[in-house]
Amino acid sequence: MSENKLLKEVSVKQILETYNLIVPEIQREYVWGQNQYGVFHTFLDDIQEGLTNVADETDEERTLKDAILNPAIDEQTKKALREILDKLVKPIAAMNIGFLYSYKPGYYIGNDREEDLYLIDGQQRFTTLVLILFYFAIKEDKKADFISLFKFDAAKEKIAFDYRVRSITHQFFIELIEKCTTINDLLEIRNKNWFLSSYANDTTVKSIAGINENTGVFYLLHNFFQNDISKYYDFVKTGIKFWHFKAEETTQGEELYITMNSRGQQLADNENIRAKLFDDELIKNNSLFWSEKWEQWQDFFWKNRDKTRPNSSADDGFNEFLRWVQLLKMYENNNQQVPITDDLRNKFEKALQWGTETKLESEYFSLIDIDQAFESLKYLYGTFESDNINLKNIYPKSFIGGLIPKKWIANEGRVLGLIDLFQLLPVLAYIKKHIVTDKEIKNITLYRLIRCLRFLSRDVTIGKAVRQQVANALFFTDELAFNMDLVDLANNQKISTTILNEELNMKLSLLNSSSERERLEDLFWYAEELLEAEILHLITLTIEHKGVFNIEYFEKVVLCYQELLDNEDAVTFNLMHTDFYNDQYDRIYCDKDWYKKSALMNLLVNRIENNQINFNDFLVQQQKIFIAGYETEQEIIEEDSAGNQLFIYYILATNDIYSVKIGWNYNYFNFGKWPGYSGFHTIFKNGIIYQGYDSAFRENQFKILGTHSLKDKLAVKKLLAWATEPLTTD
């Protein structure tokens, strides 16, 4: 490939050294100055941040600063050194703002030193850079440099960046640069004698000059930078860069793996796809429309990029979005072939996994597909999110924002994880289905689908094989006809039982038969968020105690369960004598399925029936009942169950049975068993010593339970006496 076909990273200064850039008549007007969606402010924020990334102080700067601070040097010399320091050219760290597309016009300008190029994409960003440069040229007294940089000649009405959308726009730029010499001139453009009445009707001019004193590019710039003493002109001129690509020089159908500069990087995937999609006769006949579309897509991901990550760009999010488009199209194509072949399924799952060498495949793209997917994404992050207030009123207990996280479109420099795709792709497919057919989207139905997928994403079975389950989740969405109620999918035999599992099926059936649909949904989702896991055991508990599902009792179960979770430490240790803990060899540890253990469910029911006293008193009441189960001191002494022994130690340590508080270390939920330990003893006959541990169980006397230092021989007698004392409630 020849040198002139390379994609080059260039600054404003570098591109103007060779080219004159022209915005042709077919391009749209400049609109960024209107600051719609805050895009102009976002650009200014980035420039301000970019300047802070300048290279480290040079040796020359350090030498000059040291000399200026030297008391032996006279003031006149210091003044001269300060002037040298101010004029010293500092190395600038580059900030890349994306792509600039151009093509050669159908004429030759007759000058071997310069070449005209028409801009077909990136004109909004470049126009903004030109205006920012002019503002700082005025502010930093560098207008002469600006005029030289842009080869400006007022008499010949020549400039190296020329707007030809309308002749009036061209004339405005010429007069703007010629007549404005102060910041005040820029802020009062509309009041100047040279400002023609026809300018006020030009969209580009209105965007630049504003429609009143509080609008327009220069007002926004001055409002942002007036108190900033940093020097920005040279940074904008040479430090802000973009990839310049002359689109017309690409060979038809050629794979555009183009070397970026001399660093061996490849052209962003979205640019490869773009070149292929635009190399179509139908698209060429409507290239302006699709160029504007493409710029809108890039602007969306530029605005929503991860700004905390150095060198993040619109390409990160846009490339990832195109992967979603490909996955959706692959699923659609695969789903048309029944049965789906192993080869097709493997291709889909490989694209889901997306290794470092995987590339976007143009066969799965059309500009229409991208546009439909983008409109779906925009709906999700726009129209749907704006309905949050209404949804919050319907579901006051369970509503949470951010069910569709911003990080999904911001992109953190990596592909979206499988469990995220499991939730996102079916939602996009659902929205797209309605957009394509111009059907109304009911946000409450969409919200229910999102909540359903959120619940399923936490399922252990799905988590273990999520790559295979994404297609099943998409099929689940396929089964939803236009605005069909989710409950109508209950008992659907076509859907994978991994997706339509026992719990989801039961919930959909209960919701379908409930006269209080929204209230029950609210409780289901509230419980799901409490546990971040399944809630089938709570539903089953309700049915077991009432014979049928009862929403009133279920609400008590959920609210009581929250109380148990709010007091998780105390609850955990009050269940050491139950199946809540496993007693295995030399360890006693909390079971991983603790949240649905029968002991916890029994405590839950017990609490519902004894809710007239506060929670701490309730636990003490349960402890007294446990101890009262022993008839004699000897029974306690001969207790050999590790769980029971630990619970007895816990009761001794946390109640006023002794004048001195023993205390309990709540950092340890797991315990080791030792047959003996020098310096410690046990109140039980079998002589087991207990030690708390977190991740590893090893001999460590500092983790021995405090109760093992108890010397009182009357410990067991006092414990039995305490159990017979009446409960004192607050």
Side-chain angles (χ1 to χ4, degrees), residues 278-336:
F278 274 72
D279 190 22
D280 179 280
E281 289 305 318
L282 291 176
I283 299 301
K284 286 178 181 178
N285 292 334
N286 201 11
S287 59
L288 174 58
F289 173 81
W290 288 110
S291 290
E292 290 180 348
K293 282 278 189 183
W294 196 276
E295 187 171 340
Q296 289 169 19
W297 302 337
Q298 285 187 314
D299 286 346
F300 176 85
F301 290 103
W302 170 259
K303 181 181 176 183
N304 289 289
R305 74 195 187 286
D306 178 13
K307 296 178 184 176
T308 64
R309 191 168 56 85
N311 302 319
S312 64
S313 72
D315 285 332
D316 296 330
F318 196 16
N319 285 340
E320 176 61 9
F321 164 70
L322 290 179
R323 182 169 76 103
W324 306 342
V325 177
Q326 175 172 323
L327 285 165
L328 289 173
K329 196 65 179 178
M330 290 176 82
Y331 171 78
E332 289 172 9
N333 291 354
N334 292 355
N335 208 34
Q336 291 167 5

Side-chain angles (χ1 to χ4, degrees), residues 241-458:
K241 298 192 176 185
F242 41 85
W243 296 107
H244 177 218
F245 182 64
K246 290 186 281 186
E248 203 170 60
E249 293 189 358
T250 58
T251 304
Q252 185 176 12
E254 182 181 5
E255 287 289 336
L256 295 181
Y257 298 116
I258 298 175
T259 304
M260 286 186 174
N261 234 358
S262 60
R263 292 176 292 179
Q265 289 178 290
Q266 289 183 323
L267 186 62
D269 272 354
N270 70 75
E271 301 303 330
N272 285 324
I273 294 298
R274 175 185 175 132
K276 293 175 181 178
L277 295 180
F278 274 72
D279 190 22
D280 179 280
E281 289 305 318
L282 291 176
I283 299 301
K284 286 178 181 178
N285 292 334
N286 201 11
S287 59
L288 174 58
F289 173 81
W290 288 110
S291 290
E292 290 180 348
K293 282 278 189 183
W294 196 276
E295 187 171 340
Q296 289 169 19
W297 302 337
Q298 285 187 314
D299 286 346
F300 176 85
F301 290 103
W302 170 259
K303 181 181 176 183
N304 289 289
R305 74 195 187 286
D306 178 13
K307 296 178 184 176
T308 64
R309 191 168 56 85
N311 302 319
S312 64
S313 72
D315 285 332
D316 296 330
F318 196 16
N319 285 340
E320 176 61 9
F321 164 70
L322 290 179
R323 182 169 76 103
W324 306 342
V325 177
Q326 175 172 323
L327 285 165
L328 289 173
K329 196 65 179 178
M330 290 176 82
Y331 171 78
E332 289 172 9
N333 291 354
N334 292 355
N335 208 34
Q336 291 167 5
Q337 300 187 39
V338 182
I340 298 174
T341 65
D342 289 341
D343 181 57
L344 289 173
R345 187 180 294 278
N346 289 337
K347 284 187 70 175
F348 178 72
E349 291 179 6
K350 183 180 178 181
L352 277 171
Q353 195 71 38
W354 207 261
T356 54
E357 300 302 318
T358 316
K359 296 295 179 184
L360 295 171
E361 300 180 52
S362 59
E363 65 181 284
Y364 294 106
F365 290 94
S366 74
L367 289 173
I368 293 174
D369 286 326
I370 297 172
D371 192 40
Q372 289 170 348
F374 179 76
E375 290 303 315
S376 303
L377 191 70
K378 196 168 68 169
Y379 183 92
L380 185 61
Y381 282 94
T383 306
F384 174 71
E385 282 199 337
S386 67
D387 200 28
N388 278 354
I389 294 176
N390 183 45
L391 292 168
K392 189 173 183 178
N393 290 334
I394 298 173
Y395 303 110
K397 285 184 181 295
S398 65
F399 181 83
I400 51 175
L403 286 177
I404 304 294
K406 291 290 185 185
K407 69 176 184 178
W408 287 356
I409 52 174
N411 190 275
E412 298 174 342
R414 56 181 178 79
V415 297
L416 206 61
L418 291 173
I419 204 66
D420 293 319
L421 290 173
F422 175 86
Q423 298 174 79
L424 175 62
L425 291 181
V427 172
L428 288 180
Y430 178 82
I431 298 172
K432 179 182 173 182
K433 176 167 63 175
H434 287 75
I435 287 176
V436 169
T437 54
D438 199 25
K439 294 287 195 303
E440 177 194 5
I441 301 172
K442 292 182 179 177
N443 284 337
I444 193 168
T445 305
L446 179 58
Y447 185 69
R448 286 165 174 160
L449 175 62
I450 292 169
R451 293 300 306 233
C452 178
L453 291 165
R454 179 179 174 86
F455 154 71
L456 289 170
S457 71
R458 292 166 169 167

Side-chain angles (χ1 to χ4, degrees), residues 95-209:
M95 166 187 164
N96 195 294
I97 61 170
F99 284 82
L100 190 73
Y101 280 84
S102 68
Y103 67 95
K104 289 181 180 180
Y107 60 82
Y108 177 64
I109 63 172
N111 188 328
D112 292 333
R113 190 172 55 84
E114 297 181 43
E115 182 180 341
D116 282 3
L117 289 178
Y118 280 1
L119 285 181
I120 57 171
D121 201 2
Q123 56 128 336
Q124 298 289 327
R125 290 192 185 96
F126 198 83
T127 303
T128 302
L129 284 178
V130 173
L131 295 169
I132 289 172
L133 265 174
F134 189 58
Y135 169 80
F136 284 118
I138 299 296
K139 187 180 181 185
E140 298 173 25
D141 196 23
K142 292 190 175 184
K143 183 176 178 182
D145 185 88
F146 179 92
I147 287 174
S148 174
L149 176 67
F150 283 87
K151 309 160 197 168
F152 179 72
D153 187 327
K156 295 180 180 179
E157 293 191 359
K158 177 188 174 185
I159 183 172
F161 176 71
D162 198 356
Y163 247 84
R164 292 186 184 173
V165 178
R166 292 193 186 98
S167 60
I168 199 71
T169 313
H170 160 80
Q171 187 63 38
F172 169 78
F173 269 90
I174 298 299
E175 296 207 69
L176 171 73
I177 295 169
E178 180 188 10
K179 304 293 173 95
C180 291
T181 58
T182 68
I183 294 296
N184 194 55
D185 287 342
L186 297 178
L187 297 177
E188 296 187 359
I189 291 174
R190 294 176 319 284
N191 300 324
K192 298 298 180 180
N193 291 333
W194 59 266
F195 190 83
L196 304 176
S197 58
S198 56
Y199 290 161
N201 297 320
D202 184 273
T203 302
T204 295
V205 175
K206 283 194 293 184
S207 185
I208 297 170

Side-chain angles (χ1 to χ4, degrees), residues 393-578:
N393 290 334
I394 298 173
Y395 303 110
K397 285 184 181 295
S398 65
F399 181 83
I400 51 175
L403 286 177
I404 304 294
K406 291 290 185 185
K407 69 176 184 178
W408 287 356
I409 52 174
N411 190 275
E412 298 174 342
R414 56 181 178 79
V415 297
L416 206 61
L418 291 173
I419 204 66
D420 293 319
L421 290 173
F422 175 86
Q423 298 174 79
L424 175 62
L425 291 181
V427 172
L428 288 180
Y430 178 82
I431 298 172
K432 179 182 173 182
K433 176 167 63 175
H434 287 75
I435 287 176
V436 169
T437 54
D438 199 25
K439 294 287 195 303
E440 177 194 5
I441 301 172
K442 292 182 179 177
N443 284 337
I444 193 168
T445 305
L446 179 58
Y447 185 69
R448 286 165 174 160
L449 175 62
I450 292 169
R451 293 300 306 233
C452 178
L453 291 165
R454 179 179 174 86
F455 154 71
L456 289 170
S457 71
R458 292 166 169 167
D459 185 274
V460 176
T461 303
I462 288 173
K464 289 178 179 177
V466 65
R467 188 172 56 187
Q468 291 77 35
Q469 295 306 322
V470 173
N472 288 335
L474 283 163
F475 182 80
F476 175 76
T477 306
D478 276 350
E479 288 295 288
L480 277 174
F482 298 113
N483 283 309
M484 175 183 177
D485 197 320
L486 207 63
V487 298
D488 293 333
L489 293 181
N491 302 310
N492 186 312
Q493 300 298 312
K494 299 179 186 177
I495 299 171
S496 163
T497 54
T498 306
I499 300 295
L500 191 56
N501 56 32
E502 182 184 3
E503 177 172 330
L504 180 56
N505 212 33
M506 178 174 284
K507 286 190 291 193
L508 293 177
S509 298
L510 290 172
L511 289 168
N512 194 31
S513 60
S514 176
S515 60
E516 298 180 85
R517 165 74 177 276
E518 284 81 12
R519 180 188 172 194
L520 184 54
E521 278 177 321
D522 204 17
L523 286 169
F524 281 161
W525 296 335
Y526 183 68
E528 288 171 11
E529 295 305 319
L530 275 178
L531 273 70
E532 296 186 1
E534 62 190 86
I535 62 168
L536 182 60
H537 56 294
L538 299 184
I539 298 172
T540 303
L541 179 72
T542 302
I543 295 172
E544 287 175 350
H545 278 75
K546 291 296 177 180
V548 294
F549 184 82
N550 179 281
I551 191 171
E552 303 297 338
Y553 190 77
F554 181 72
E555 183 167 19
K556 290 179 182 179
V557 168
V558 172
L559 295 178
C560 185
Y561 201 97
Q562 180 181 14
E563 185 181 39
L564 298 186
L565 294 181
D566 289 343
N567 296 275
E568 186 177 338
D569 286 0
V571 168
T572 299
F573 295 114
N574 274 275
L575 294 175
M576 285 188 293
H577 59 301
T578 70

Side-chain angles (χ1 to χ4, degrees), residues 575-587:
L575 294 175
M576 285 188 293
H577 59 301
T578 70
D579 68 344
F580 196 82
Y581 275 78
N582 285 316
D583 184 357
Q584 193 172 62
Y585 305 112
D586 59 351
R587 287 174 172 80

Side-chain angles (χ1 to χ4, degrees), residues 609-624:
E609 295 170 355
N610 292 275
N611 64 355
Q612 71 280 2
I613 58 177
N614 70 51
F615 190 71
N616 287 333
D617 289 338
F618 166 70
L619 291 180
V620 172
Q621 179 191 67
Q622 301 305 302
Q623 294 169 7
K624 286 178 179 287

